[in-house]
Amino acid sequence: MSLSATERRALKARAHALEPVVRIGSHGLTPAVEKEIDLSLRAHELIKVHIADEDRDTRRALLNQICETTGAEAVQAIGRMLVLWRESPRDVATAPAKPRRRGARIPKRAFQGS
């Protein structure tokens, strides 16, 4: 699945205020780091990853490898910062409850029998 230009632009705007949740250090992309990226994508859908390596080709190879192993889409790569997106599957049972509107009426039956 490839992102359209409009979707990519919207994701870039959402990612602007994010801090990196995963940092790839001198040991590179280890299985533990891959697992952490996968868990972060499952929880947040849109994440930033910081790569400590200075070599541009190495960073590009890491980006391709991450996208390949996790199934994520590369939204943006600027310098040492990567922005990744993967839609998380949400079940109806695990989806968060819809928040109530402020000032919404609470039915009387909610208070009966307490």
Side-chain angles (χ1 to χ4, degrees):
M1 169 174 70
S2 184
L3 295 171
S4 69
T6 306
E7 292 170 330
R8 190 174 306 276
R9 185 176 32 242
L11 289 171
K12 284 180 186 181
R14 280 181 44 200
H16 183 72
L18 297 178
E19 293 293 322
V21 294
V22 178
R23 295 182 187 273
I24 300 175
S26 59
H27 294 292
L29 189 62
T30 63
V33 173
E34 285 181 355
K35 183 178 179 183
E36 190 62 34
I37 290 172
D38 185 53
L39 290 173
S40 297
L41 283 167
R42 191 174 302 151
H44 303 290
E45 288 188 342
L46 182 67
I47 64 169
K48 278 187 180 178
V49 177
H50 182 268
I51 300 177
D53 198 341
E54 293 188 21
D55 184 38
R56 183 181 299 187
D57 295 330
T58 304
R59 289 193 310 258
R60 179 60 62 186
L62 283 174
L63 173 63
N64 292 334
Q65 186 178 353
I66 291 169
C67 290
E68 207 173 280
T69 59
T70 62
E73 291 282 331
V75 175
Q76 186 177 31
I78 296 180
R80 297 180 184 181
M81 200 67 63
L82 308 176
V83 178
L84 303 172
W85 177 81
R86 181 180 72 191
E87 186 174 16
S88 66
R90 298 200 185 258
D91 297 349
V92 175
T94 60
K98 188 174 179 182
R100 293 182 79 65
R101 287 190 345 252
R102 201 170 168 188
R105 295 183 55 201
I106 300 173
K108 286 186 178 183
R109 66 176 175 261
F111 294 108
Q112 294 173 352
S114 299

